[in-house]
Amino acid sequence: MSYTLPGQTATQVAGQIQLANFQNPAGMNSIGGNLYLPTDASGQPTVAAPGGTEGLGTLMQGYQEQSNVSVVNEFINLIAAQRGYEANSKVVKAADEMYQQVNNIAQ
């Protein structure tokens, strides 16, 4: 990875992005914010530069990563949340009507 400072023509080397692969990625410890720590269950990482012979993958400039969100699952979750909201609003409406009737009886 390299960069060029404003007003200069020579490129500066910033470093090399490394990729890591684990024998058991499901064994990693999630610490939140899409950050993970290796554990004994995940094993030690194989670390290499992108595009190397290790087969860890490549990096391409100017491309957007693919989403790991399942549209179908998220849509189902949205429908379930909406149905839950509707049920809760009906409970609140029924409770409000009961309180109105109690107030009318008490008067």
Side-chain angles (χ1 to χ4, degrees):
M1 180 176 261
S2 61
Y3 62 93
T4 305
L5 292 172
Q8 294 184 1
T9 58
T11 59
Q12 306 291 324
V13 176
Q16 176 66 46
I17 294 177
Q18 298 286 302
L19 299 176
N21 189 32
F22 290 86
Q23 286 287 69
N24 179 20
M28 297 183 74
N29 181 26
S30 174
I31 59 173
N34 287 334
L35 299 174
Y36 293 86
L37 291 174
T39 65
D40 291 337
S42 68
Q44 292 300 313
T46 302
V47 180
T53 58
E54 296 81 4
L56 296 183
T58 59
L59 294 178
M60 299 175 69
Q61 182 176 342
Y63 285 79
Q64 192 173 19
E65 67 182 81
Q66 293 179 341
S67 175
N68 60 356
V69 175
S70 169
V71 175
V72 174
N73 286 340
E74 293 304 318
F75 193 65
I76 290 169
N77 292 340
L78 177 65
I79 291 171
Q82 181 181 9
R83 298 250 168 94
Y85 177 80
E86 289 174 1
N88 286 337
S89 68
K90 287 180 182 179
V91 168
V92 170
K93 183 178 178 182
D96 184 46
E97 290 172 358
M98 288 185 340
Y99 287 134
Q100 285 179 358
Q101 289 177 1
V102 168
N103 282 337
N104 288 338
I105 293 173
Q107 293 176 354

Coordinates of all heavy atoms in Angstrom, one line a residue:
M1 N 0.8 -1.1 0.0 CA 0.0 0.0 0.0 C 0.9 1.2 0.0 O 1.9 1.3 0.8 CB -0.9 0.0 1.2 CG -1.8 1.1 1.4 SD -2.9 0.9 2.8 CE -4.3 0.3 1.9
S2 N 0.6 2.2 -0.9 CA 1.4 3.4 -0.9 C 0.5 4.6 -1.1 O -0.7 4.5 -1.4 CB 2.4 3.3 -2.1 OG 1.7 3.2 -3.3
Y3 N 1.1 5.8 -0.9 CA 0.4 7.0 -1.0 C 1.4 8.1 -1.5 O 2.6 7.9 -1.4 CB -0.2 7.4 0.4 CG 0.8 7.7 1.4 CD1 1.3 8.9 1.7 CD2 1.3 6.6 2.2 CE1 2.3 9.2 2.7 CE2 2.3 6.8 3.2 CZ 2.7 8.1 3.4 OH 3.7 8.3 4.4
T4 N 0.8 9.2 -2.0 CA 1.6 10.3 -2.4 C 1.1 11.6 -1.7 O -0.1 11.8 -1.6 CB 1.4 10.5 -3.9 OG1 1.7 9.3 -4.6 CG2 2.3 11.7 -4.4
L5 N 2.1 12.2 -1.0 CA 1.7 13.5 -0.3 C 1.5 14.6 -1.3 O 2.1 14.6 -2.4 CB 2.9 13.8 0.6 CG 3.1 12.9 1.8 CD1 4.4 13.3 2.6 CD2 1.9 12.9 2.7
P6 N 0.6 15.6 -0.9 CA 0.4 16.7 -1.8 C 1.6 17.5 -2.1 O 2.5 17.7 -1.2 CB -0.6 17.6 -1.0 CG -1.2 16.7 0.0 CD -0.2 15.6 0.3
G7 N 1.8 17.8 -3.3 CA 3.0 18.6 -3.7 C 4.3 17.7 -4.0 O 5.3 18.3 -4.2
Q8 N 4.1 16.4 -3.8 CA 5.3 15.5 -4.1 C 4.9 14.5 -5.2 O 3.7 14.2 -5.4 CB 5.6 14.8 -2.8 CG 6.2 15.6 -1.7 CD 6.6 14.8 -0.5 OE1 6.5 13.6 -0.5 NE2 7.1 15.5 0.5
T9 N 5.9 14.1 -5.8 CA 5.7 13.1 -6.9 C 6.1 11.7 -6.5 O 5.6 10.7 -7.1 CB 6.5 13.5 -8.2 OG1 7.8 13.6 -7.9 CG2 5.9 14.8 -8.7
A10 N 7.0 11.6 -5.5 CA 7.4 10.3 -5.0 C 6.4 9.6 -4.1 O 5.8 10.3 -3.3 CB 8.8 10.4 -4.3
T11 N 6.1 8.3 -4.3 CA 5.2 7.6 -3.5 C 5.9 7.1 -2.2 O 7.1 6.8 -2.2 CB 4.6 6.4 -4.2 OG1 5.6 5.5 -4.6 CG2 3.8 6.8 -5.4
Q12 N 5.1 7.1 -1.2 CA 5.6 6.6 0.1 C 4.9 5.2 0.4 O 3.8 5.1 0.2 CB 5.3 7.6 1.2 CG 5.7 9.0 1.0 CD 7.2 9.1 1.1 OE1 7.9 8.5 1.9 NE2 7.8 10.0 0.2
V13 N 5.7 4.3 0.9 CA 5.1 3.0 1.3 C 4.5 3.1 2.7 O 5.2 3.5 3.6 CB 6.2 1.9 1.3 CG1 5.7 0.6 1.7 CG2 6.8 1.8 -0.1
A14 N 3.2 2.8 2.8 CA 2.5 2.9 4.0 C 2.5 1.5 4.8 O 2.4 1.5 6.0 CB 1.1 3.3 3.8
G15 N 2.6 0.5 4.1 CA 2.6 -0.9 4.7 C 1.9 -1.8 3.8 O 1.5 -1.5 2.6
Q16 N 1.7 -3.0 4.3 CA 1.0 -4.1 3.5 C -0.2 -4.6 4.4 O 0.0 -5.0 5.5 CB 2.0 -5.3 3.3 CG 1.4 -6.5 2.6 CD 0.9 -6.2 1.2 OE1 1.6 -5.6 0.4 NE2 -0.3 -6.6 0.9
I17 N -1.3 -4.6 3.8 CA -2.5 -5.2 4.4 C -2.4 -6.7 4.5 O -2.0 -7.3 3.5 CB -3.8 -4.8 3.7 CG1 -4.0 -3.3 3.8 CG2 -5.0 -5.5 4.2 CD1 -5.2 -2.8 3.0
Q18 N -2.7 -7.2 5.6 CA -2.6 -8.7 5.8 C -3.9 -9.3 6.0 O -4.8 -8.6 6.6 CB -1.7 -9.0 7.1 CG -0.3 -8.5 7.0 CD 0.5 -9.4 6.0 OE1 0.6 -10.6 6.2 NE2 1.1 -8.7 5.0
L19 N -4.1 -10.5 5.5 CA -5.4 -11.2 5.7 C -5.1 -12.4 6.7 O -4.0 -12.9 6.7 CB -5.9 -11.8 4.4 CG -6.3 -10.7 3.4 CD1 -6.7 -11.4 2.1 CD2 -7.4 -9.8 3.8
A20 N -6.1 -12.8 7.5 CA -5.9 -13.9 8.4 C -7.0 -14.9 8.2 O -8.1 -14.6 7.9 CB -5.9 -13.4 9.8
N21 N -6.6 -16.2 8.3 CA -7.6 -17.3 8.2 C -7.5 -18.1 9.4 O -6.4 -18.4 9.9 CB -7.3 -18.1 6.9 CG -8.4 -19.1 6.7 OD1 -9.6 -18.9 7.0 ND2 -8.0 -20.2 6.1
F22 N -8.6 -18.6 10.0 CA -8.6 -19.4 11.1 C -9.2 -20.8 10.8 O -10.1 -20.9 10.0 CB -9.5 -18.8 12.3 CG -8.8 -17.6 12.8 CD1 -9.0 -16.3 12.3 CD2 -8.0 -17.7 14.0 CE1 -8.4 -15.2 12.8 CE2 -7.4 -16.5 14.5 CZ -7.6 -15.3 13.9
Q23 N -8.7 -21.8 11.4 CA -9.2 -23.2 11.2 C -10.7 -23.3 11.6 O -11.5 -23.9 10.9 CB -8.4 -24.2 12.0 CG -7.0 -24.5 11.5 CD -7.1 -25.3 10.2 OE1 -7.5 -24.8 9.2 NE2 -6.6 -26.5 10.3
N24 N -11.1 -22.6 12.7 CA -12.5 -22.7 13.1 C -12.9 -21.2 13.4 O -12.9 -20.8 14.6 CB -12.6 -23.5 14.4 CG -14.0 -23.6 14.9 OD1 -14.9 -23.3 14.2 ND2 -14.1 -23.9 16.2
P25 N -13.4 -20.5 12.4 CA -13.8 -19.1 12.6 C -14.9 -19.0 13.6 O -15.0 -18.0 14.3 CB -14.2 -18.6 11.3 CG -13.6 -19.6 10.3 CD -13.4 -20.8 11.0
A26 N -15.8 -20.0 13.7 CA -16.9 -19.9 14.7 C -16.4 -20.0 16.1 O -17.2 -19.6 17.0 CB -17.8 -21.1 14.4
G27 N -15.2 -20.4 16.4 CA -14.6 -20.4 17.7 C -14.0 -19.1 18.2 O -13.6 -19.1 19.3
M28 N -14.1 -18.1 17.4 CA -13.5 -16.8 17.8 C -14.5 -16.1 18.8 O -15.7 -16.4 18.8 CB -13.3 -15.9 16.6 CG -12.3 -16.5 15.6 SD -11.9 -15.5 14.2 CE -10.9 -14.2 15.0
N29 N -13.9 -15.2 19.6 CA -14.6 -14.5 20.6 C -15.0 -13.1 20.1 O -14.2 -12.3 19.8 CB -13.8 -14.4 21.9 CG -14.5 -13.7 23.0 OD1 -15.7 -13.7 23.1 ND2 -13.7 -13.0 23.9
S30 N -16.4 -12.9 20.0 CA -16.9 -11.6 19.5 C -16.8 -10.6 20.6 O -17.3 -10.8 21.7 CB -18.3 -11.7 19.0 OG -18.8 -10.5 18.7
I31 N -16.1 -9.4 20.4 CA -16.0 -8.4 21.4 C -16.9 -7.2 21.0 O -16.8 -6.1 21.6 CB -14.6 -8.0 21.7 CG1 -13.9 -7.5 20.4 CG2 -13.8 -9.2 22.3 CD1 -12.5 -6.9 20.7
G32 N -17.7 -7.3 20.0 CA -18.6 -6.3 19.5 C -18.0 -5.4 18.4 O -16.8 -5.4 18.2
G33 N -18.9 -4.7 17.7 CA -18.5 -3.9 16.6 C -17.8 -4.6 15.5 O -16.8 -4.0 14.9
N34 N -18.2 -5.8 15.2 CA -17.5 -6.7 14.2 C -16.0 -6.9 14.5 O -15.3 -7.1 13.6 CB -17.7 -6.1 12.8 CG -19.1 -6.2 12.3 OD1 -19.8 -7.1 12.7 ND2 -19.5 -5.3 11.4
L35 N -15.7 -6.9 15.8 CA -14.3 -7.2 16.2 C -14.3 -8.6 16.9 O -15.2 -8.9 17.7 CB -13.8 -6.2 17.1 CG -13.7 -4.7 16.5 CD1 -13.3 -3.8 17.6 CD2 -12.7 -4.7 15.4
Y36 N -13.3 -9.4 16.6 CA -13.2 -10.7 17.1 C -11.7 -10.9 17.6 O -10.8 -10.4 17.1 CB -13.5 -11.8 16.1 CG -14.9 -11.8 15.6 CD1 -15.3 -10.9 14.6 CD2 -15.8 -12.6 16.2 CE1 -16.6 -10.9 14.2 CE2 -17.1 -12.6 15.8 CZ -17.6 -11.7 14.8 OH -18.9 -11.7 14.4
L37 N -11.6 -11.8 18.7 CA -10.4 -12.2 19.2 C -10.2 -13.7 19.0 O -11.2 -14.5 19.2 CB -10.3 -11.9 20.7 CG -10.2 -10.4 21.0 CD1 -10.2 -10.2 22.5 CD2 -8.9 -9.8 20.5
P38 N -9.0 -14.2 18.7 CA -8.8 -15.6 18.6 C -8.9 -16.3 20.0 O -8.6 -15.7 21.0 CB -7.4 -15.8 18.0 CG -6.7 -14.5 18.3 CD -7.8 -13.4 18.4
T39 N -9.3 -17.5 20.0 CA -9.4 -18.4 21.2 C -8.7 -19.7 20.9 O -8.3 -19.9 19.8 CB -10.8 -18.6 21.6 OG1 -11.5 -19.4 20.6 CG2 -11.6 -17.3 21.8
D40 N -8.6 -20.5 21.9 CA -8.1 -21.9 21.7 C -8.9 -22.6 20.7 O -8.4 -23.4 19.9 CB -8.0 -22.6 23.0 CG -6.9 -22.0 23.9 OD1 -6.0 -21.4 23.4 OD2 -7.0 -22.2 25.2
A41 N -10.2 -22.4 20.8 CA -11.2 -23.1 19.9 C -11.0 -22.7 18.4 O -11.2 -23.5 17.5 CB -12.6 -22.9 20.3
S42 N -10.6 -21.4 18.2 CA -10.5 -21.0 16.8 C -9.1 -21.4 16.2 O -9.0 -21.5 15.0 CB -10.6 -19.4 16.7 OG -9.5 -18.8 17.4
G43 N -8.2 -21.6 17.0 CA -6.8 -22.0 16.5 C -6.0 -20.7 16.2 O -6.5 -19.6 16.3
Q44 N -4.8 -20.9 15.9 CA -3.9 -19.8 15.5 C -4.2 -19.4 14.0 O -4.5 -20.2 13.2 CB -2.5 -20.2 15.7 CG -2.1 -20.4 17.1 CD -2.3 -19.1 18.0 OE1 -1.9 -18.0 17.6 NE2 -3.0 -19.3 19.1
P45 N -4.1 -18.1 13.8 CA -4.3 -17.6 12.4 C -3.2 -18.0 11.4 O -2.0 -18.0 11.8 CB -4.5 -16.1 12.6 CG -3.6 -15.8 13.7 CD -3.7 -17.0 14.7
T46 N -3.6 -18.1 10.2 CA -2.6 -18.2 9.1 C -2.7 -16.8 8.5 O -3.7 -16.3 8.0 CB -3.1 -19.2 8.0 OG1 -3.2 -20.5 8.6 CG2 -2.1 -19.2 6.9
V47 N -1.6 -16.0 8.6 CA -1.6 -14.6 8.1 C -0.7 -14.5 6.9 O 0.4 -15.1 6.8 CB -1.0 -13.7 9.2 CG1 -0.9 -12.3 8.8 CG2 -1.8 -13.8 10.5
A48 N -1.2 -13.8 5.9 CA -0.5 -13.7 4.6 C -1.0 -12.5 3.9 O -2.0 -11.9 4.2 CB -0.6 -14.9 3.7
A49 N -0.2 -12.0 2.9 CA -0.6 -10.9 2.1 C -1.6 -11.3 1.1 O -1.7 -12.5 0.6 CB 0.7 -10.4 1.3
P50 N -2.5 -10.4 0.7 CA -3.6 -10.8 -0.3 C -3.0 -11.2 -1.6 O -1.9 -10.7 -2.0 CB -4.4 -9.5 -0.5 CG -4.0 -8.7 0.7 CD -2.7 -9.1 1.2
G51 N -3.6 -12.2 -2.3 CA -3.1 -12.6 -3.6 C -2.0 -13.6 -3.5 O -1.4 -14.0 -4.5
G52 N -1.6 -14.0 -2.3 CA -0.4 -14.9 -2.2 C -0.8 -16.3 -2.5 O -1.9 -16.7 -2.8
T53 N 0.2 -17.2 -2.3 CA 0.0 -18.6 -2.6 C -0.8 -19.3 -1.5 O -1.2 -20.5 -1.7 CB 1.3 -19.3 -2.8 OG1 2.1 -19.1 -1.6 CG2 2.1 -18.8 -3.9
E54 N -1.1 -18.7 -0.4 CA -1.8 -19.3 0.7 C -3.3 -19.4 0.4 O -4.0 -20.1 1.1 CB -1.6 -18.5 2.0 CG -0.2 -18.5 2.5 CD 0.7 -17.4 1.8 OE1 0.2 -16.7 1.0 OE2 1.9 -17.4 2.1
G55 N -3.8 -18.7 -0.6 CA -5.2 -18.7 -1.0 C -6.1 -18.0 -0.1 O -7.3 -18.4 0.1
L56 N -5.7 -17.0 0.5 CA -6.5 -16.2 1.5 C -7.4 -15.2 0.8 O -8.3 -14.6 1.4 CB -5.7 -15.5 2.5 CG -4.9 -16.4 3.5 CD1 -4.2 -15.6 4.5 CD2 -5.8 -17.5 4.1
G57 N -7.3 -15.0 -0.5 CA -8.1 -14.1 -1.2 C -7.3 -12.9 -1.7 O -6.1 -12.8 -1.6
T58 N -8.0 -12.0 -2.4 CA -7.4 -10.8 -3.0 C -8.1 -9.5 -2.5 O -9.3 -9.6 -2.1 CB -7.3 -10.8 -4.5 OG1 -8.7 -10.9 -5.0 CG2 -6.6 -12.0 -5.0
L59 N -7.5 -8.4 -2.7 CA -8.1 -7.1 -2.4 C -8.2 -6.3 -3.7 O -7.2 -6.3 -4.5 CB -7.4 -6.3 -1.4 CG -7.3 -6.9 0.1 CD1 -6.5 -6.0 1.0 CD2 -8.7 -7.1 0.6
M60 N -9.3 -5.7 -3.9 CA -9.4 -4.9 -5.2 C -9.8 -3.5 -4.8 O -10.8 -3.3 -4.1 CB -10.4 -5.6 -6.1 CG -10.0 -7.0 -6.5 SD -11.3 -7.8 -7.5 CE -11.2 -6.9 -9.0
Q61 N -9.1 -2.5 -5.3 CA -9.4 -1.1 -5.0 C -10.6 -0.7 -5.8 O -10.9 -1.0 -6.9 CB -8.2 -0.3 -5.5 CG -8.4 1.2 -5.2 CD -7.1 2.0 -5.6 OE1 -6.1 1.4 -5.7 NE2 -7.3 3.3 -5.7
G62 N -11.5 0.1 -5.1 CA -12.6 0.7 -5.7 C -13.8 -0.2 -5.7 O -14.8 0.2 -6.3
Y63 N -13.8 -1.3 -5.1 CA -14.9 -2.2 -5.1 C -15.6 -2.2 -3.7 O -14.9 -2.0 -2.7 CB -14.5 -3.7 -5.4 CG -14.2 -3.9 -6.9 CD1 -13.0 -3.4 -7.5 CD2 -15.1 -4.5 -7.7 CE1 -12.8 -3.6 -8.8 CE2 -14.9 -4.6 -9.1 CZ -13.7 -4.2 -9.6 OH -13.5 -4.4 -10.9
Q64 N -16.9 -2.4 -3.7 CA -17.6 -2.5 -2.4 C -17.7 -3.9 -2.0 O -18.1 -4.8 -2.8 CB -18.9 -1.8 -2.6 CG -19.7 -1.5 -1.3 CD -20.9 -0.7 -1.6 OE1 -21.4 -0.6 -2.8 NE2 -21.4 0.0 -0.6
E65 N -17.6 -4.2 -0.7 CA -17.7 -5.5 -0.2 C -19.2 -6.0 -0.3 O -20.1 -5.2 -0.3 CB -17.2 -5.7 1.2 CG -18.0 -4.9 2.2 CD -17.5 -5.0 3.6 OE1 -16.5 -4.3 3.9 OE2 -18.0 -5.9 4.4
Q66 N -19.3 -7.3 -0.4 CA -20.7 -7.8 -0.4 C -21.2 -7.8 1.0 O -20.5 -8.1 2.0 CB -20.6 -9.3 -1.0 CG -20.3 -9.3 -2.4 CD -20.2 -10.8 -2.9 OE1 -20.1 -11.7 -2.1 NE2 -20.3 -10.9 -4.2
S67 N -22.5 -7.6 1.1 CA -23.1 -7.6 2.4 C -23.3 -9.0 2.9 O -23.6 -9.9 2.2 CB -24.5 -6.9 2.3 OG -25.2 -6.9 3.5
N68 N -23.2 -9.1 4.3 CA -23.4 -10.4 4.9 C -24.8 -10.5 5.5 O -25.1 -11.3 6.4 CB -22.3 -10.8 5.9 CG -22.3 -9.7 7.0 OD1 -23.0 -8.7 7.0 ND2 -21.4 -10.0 8.0
V69 N -25.7 -9.6 5.1 CA -27.0 -9.5 5.6 C -28.0 -10.3 4.7 O -27.9 -10.1 3.5 CB -27.5 -8.0 5.8 CG1 -29.0 -8.0 6.2 CG2 -26.6 -7.3 6.7
S70 N -28.8 -11.2 5.3 CA -29.8 -11.9 4.5 C -31.0 -11.1 4.5 O -31.7 -10.8 5.5 CB -30.1 -13.2 5.2 OG -31.2 -13.8 4.6
V71 N -31.4 -10.6 3.3 CA -32.5 -9.8 3.1 C -33.8 -10.5 3.5 O -34.7 -9.9 4.1 CB -32.6 -9.3 1.6 CG1 -33.9 -8.5 1.4 CG2 -31.4 -8.5 1.2
V72 N -33.9 -11.8 3.2 CA -35.1 -12.6 3.6 C -35.2 -12.6 5.1 O -36.3 -12.3 5.6 CB -35.0 -14.0 3.0 CG1 -36.1 -14.8 3.5 CG2 -35.0 -13.9 1.4
N73 N -34.2 -12.9 5.8 CA -34.2 -13.0 7.3 C -34.6 -11.6 7.9 O -35.4 -11.5 8.8 CB -32.9 -13.5 7.9 CG -32.8 -15.0 7.6 OD1 -33.7 -15.7 7.4 ND2 -31.5 -15.4 7.7
E74 N -34.0 -10.6 7.4 CA -34.3 -9.2 7.9 C -35.7 -8.8 7.6 O -36.4 -8.2 8.4 CB -33.3 -8.2 7.3 CG -31.9 -8.4 7.8 CD -31.7 -8.4 9.3 OE1 -32.4 -7.6 10.0 OE2 -31.0 -9.3 9.8
F75 N -36.3 -9.2 6.4 CA -37.6 -8.9 6.1 C -38.6 -9.7 7.1 O -39.6 -9.1 7.5 CB -37.9 -9.2 4.7 CG -39.2 -8.7 4.1 CD1 -39.4 -7.3 4.1 CD2 -40.3 -9.5 3.8 CE1 -40.6 -6.8 3.6 CE2 -41.5 -9.0 3.3 CZ -41.6 -7.6 3.2
I76 N -38.3 -10.9 7.3 CA -39.1 -11.7 8.3 C -39.0 -11.1 9.7 O -40.1 -11.0 10.3 CB -38.6 -13.2 8.3 CG1 -38.9 -13.9 7.0 CG2 -39.2 -13.9 9.5 CD1 -38.3 -15.2 6.8
N77 N -37.8 -10.7 10.1 CA -37.7 -10.0 11.4 C -38.5 -8.7 11.4 O -39.1 -8.4 12.5 CB -36.3 -9.7 11.7 CG -35.5 -10.9 12.0 OD1 -36.0 -12.0 12.3 ND2 -34.2 -10.8 11.8
L78 N -38.6 -8.0 10.3 CA -39.3 -6.7 10.3 C -40.8 -7.0 10.4 O -41.6 -6.3 11.1 CB -39.1 -6.0 8.9 CG -39.8 -4.7 8.7 CD1 -39.5 -3.7 9.7 CD2 -39.6 -4.2 7.3
I79 N -41.3 -8.1 9.7 CA -42.7 -8.4 9.8 C -43.1 -8.9 11.2 O -44.1 -8.5 11.7 CB -43.0 -9.5 8.8 CG1 -43.0 -9.0 7.3 CG2 -44.4 -10.1 9.0 CD1 -43.0 -10.0 6.2
A80 N -42.2 -9.7 11.8 CA -42.4 -10.1 13.2 C -42.5 -8.9 14.1 O -43.4 -8.9 15.0 CB -41.4 -11.1 13.6
A81 N -41.6 -7.9 14.0 CA -41.6 -6.8 14.8 C -42.9 -5.9 14.6 O -43.5 -5.4 15.6 CB -40.4 -5.9 14.5
Q82 N -43.3 -5.8 13.4 CA -44.5 -5.1 13.1 C -45.8 -5.8 13.7 O -46.6 -5.1 14.3 CB -44.7 -5.0 11.6 CG -46.0 -4.2 11.2 CD -46.2 -4.1 9.7 OE1 -45.5 -4.8 8.9 NE2 -47.1 -3.3 9.3
R83 N -45.8 -7.1 13.6 CA -46.9 -7.8 14.2 C -46.9 -7.7 15.8 O -47.9 -7.5 16.4 CB -46.9 -9.3 13.8 CG -47.0 -9.5 12.4 CD -48.3 -10.2 12.0 NE -48.6 -10.1 10.6 CZ -48.3 -11.1 9.7 NH1 -47.7 -12.2 10.1 NH2 -48.6 -10.9 8.4
G84 N -45.7 -7.7 16.3 CA -45.6 -7.5 17.8 C -46.1 -6.1 18.2 O -46.8 -5.9 19.2
Y85 N -45.7 -5.1 17.4 CA -46.2 -3.7 17.7 C -47.7 -3.6 17.6 O -48.3 -3.0 18.4 CB -45.5 -2.8 16.7 CG -46.0 -1.3 16.8 CD1 -45.4 -0.5 17.8 CD2 -47.0 -0.8 16.0 CE1 -45.9 0.8 18.0 CE2 -47.4 0.5 16.2 CZ -46.8 1.3 17.1 OH -47.3 2.6 17.3
E86 N -48.3 -4.3 16.5 CA -49.7 -4.2 16.4 C -50.4 -4.9 17.6 O -51.4 -4.4 18.1 CB -50.1 -4.9 15.1 CG -49.8 -4.2 13.8 CD -50.1 -5.0 12.6 OE1 -50.5 -6.1 12.7 OE2 -49.8 -4.4 11.5
A87 N -49.9 -6.0 18.0 CA -50.5 -6.7 19.2 C -50.4 -5.9 20.4 O -51.3 -5.8 21.2 CB -49.8 -8.1 19.4
N88 N -49.2 -5.2 20.6 CA -49.0 -4.4 21.8 C -50.0 -3.2 21.8 O -50.5 -2.8 22.8 CB -47.6 -3.9 21.9 CG -46.7 -5.0 22.4 OD1 -47.1 -6.0 23.0 ND2 -45.4 -4.9 22.1
S89 N -50.2 -2.6 20.6 CA -51.0 -1.4 20.5 C -52.5 -1.8 20.8 O -53.3 -1.1 21.4 CB -50.9 -0.7 19.1 OG -51.4 -1.6 18.1
K90 N -52.9 -3.1 20.4 CA -54.2 -3.5 20.7 C -54.4 -3.7 22.2 O -55.5 -3.5 22.7 CB -54.5 -4.8 19.9 CG -54.7 -4.6 18.5 CD -55.0 -5.9 17.7 CE -55.2 -5.6 16.2 NZ -55.5 -6.8 15.5
V91 N -53.4 -4.2 22.9 CA -53.4 -4.4 24.3 C -53.6 -3.1 25.0 O -54.4 -2.9 25.9 CB -52.2 -5.2 24.8 CG1 -52.1 -5.1 26.4 CG2 -52.2 -6.6 24.4
V92 N -52.8 -2.1 24.6 CA -52.9 -0.7 25.1 C -54.3 -0.1 24.9 O -54.9 0.5 25.8 CB -51.8 0.2 24.6 CG1 -52.0 1.6 25.0 CG2 -50.4 -0.3 25.0
K93 N -54.8 -0.3 23.7 CA -56.2 0.2 23.4 C -57.2 -0.5 24.3 O -58.1 0.2 24.8 CB -56.5 0.0 21.9 CG -57.8 0.5 21.5 CD -58.1 0.3 20.0 CE -59.4 0.8 19.6 NZ -59.7 0.6 18.2
A94 N -57.1 -1.8 24.4 CA -58.1 -2.5 25.3 C -58.0 -2.0 26.7 O -59.0 -1.8 27.4 CB -57.9 -4.0 25.2
A95 N -56.8 -1.8 27.2 CA -56.6 -1.3 28.6 C -57.2 0.0 28.7 O -57.8 0.4 29.8 CB -55.1 -1.4 29.0
D96 N -57.0 0.9 27.8 CA -57.5 2.2 27.8 C -59.1 2.2 27.9 O -59.7 3.0 28.6 CB -57.1 3.0 26.6 CG -57.5 4.5 26.6 OD1 -57.4 5.1 27.7 OD2 -58.0 5.0 25.5
E97 N -59.7 1.3 27.1 CA -61.1 1.2 27.1 C -61.6 0.7 28.4 O -62.7 1.2 28.9 CB -61.6 0.3 25.9 CG -61.4 0.9 24.6 CD -61.7 -0.1 23.4 OE1 -62.0 -1.3 23.7 OE2 -61.6 0.4 22.3
M98 N -60.9 -0.2 29.0 CA -61.3 -0.7 30.3 C -61.2 0.4 31.4 O -62.1 0.5 32.2 CB -60.4 -1.9 30.7 CG -60.7 -3.2 30.0 SD -59.9 -4.7 30.4 CE -58.5 -4.2 31.3
Y99 N -60.2 1.2 31.3 CA -60.0 2.3 32.3 C -61.1 3.3 32.1 O -61.6 3.9 33.1 CB -58.7 2.9 32.2 CG -57.5 2.1 32.7 CD1 -56.4 1.9 32.0 CD2 -57.6 1.5 34.0 CE1 -55.3 1.2 32.5 CE2 -56.6 0.7 34.4 CZ -55.4 0.6 33.7 OH -54.4 -0.2 34.2
Q100 N -61.5 3.5 30.9 CA -62.7 4.5 30.6 C -63.9 3.9 31.2 O -64.7 4.7 31.8 CB -62.8 4.7 29.1 CG -61.8 5.6 28.5 CD -62.0 5.8 27.0 OE1 -62.9 5.2 26.4 NE2 -61.1 6.6 26.4
Q101 N -64.2 2.6 31.1 CA -65.4 2.0 31.7 C -65.4 2.1 33.2 O -66.4 2.4 33.8 CB -65.6 0.6 31.2 CG -65.9 0.5 29.7 CD -66.0 -1.0 29.2 OE1 -65.8 -1.9 30.0 NE2 -66.4 -1.1 28.0
V102 N -64.2 1.8 33.8 CA -64.1 1.9 35.2 C -64.3 3.3 35.7 O -65.0 3.5 36.7 CB -62.7 1.4 35.7 CG1 -62.4 1.8 37.1 CG2 -62.5 -0.1 35.4
N103 N -63.8 4.3 35.0 CA -64.1 5.7 35.4 C -65.5 6.1 35.2 O -66.1 6.8 36.1 CB -63.2 6.6 34.5 CG -61.8 6.7 34.9 OD1 -61.5 6.4 36.1 ND2 -60.9 7.1 34.0
N104 N -66.2 5.5 34.2 CA -67.7 5.8 34.1 C -68.5 5.2 35.2 O -69.5 5.7 35.7 CB -68.2 5.3 32.7 CG -67.6 6.2 31.6 OD1 -67.3 7.3 31.8 ND2 -67.6 5.6 30.4
I105 N -68.1 4.0 35.7 CA -68.8 3.3 36.7 C -68.6 4.0 38.1 O -69.5 4.2 38.9 CB -68.3 1.8 36.9 CG1 -68.8 1.0 35.6 CG2 -68.9 1.2 38.1 CD1 -68.2 -0.4 35.6
A106 N -67.3 4.5 38.3 CA -67.0 5.2 39.5 C -67.7 6.5 39.7 O -67.9 7.0 40.8 CB -65.5 5.4 39.6
Q107 N -68.1 7.1 38.6 CA -68.7 8.4 38.7 C -70.2 8.4 39.1 O -71.1 8.0 39.2 CB -68.6 9.2 37.4 CG -67.2 9.6 37.2 CD -67.0 10.2 35.8 OE1 -67.9 10.4 35.0 NE2 -65.8 10.7 35.6

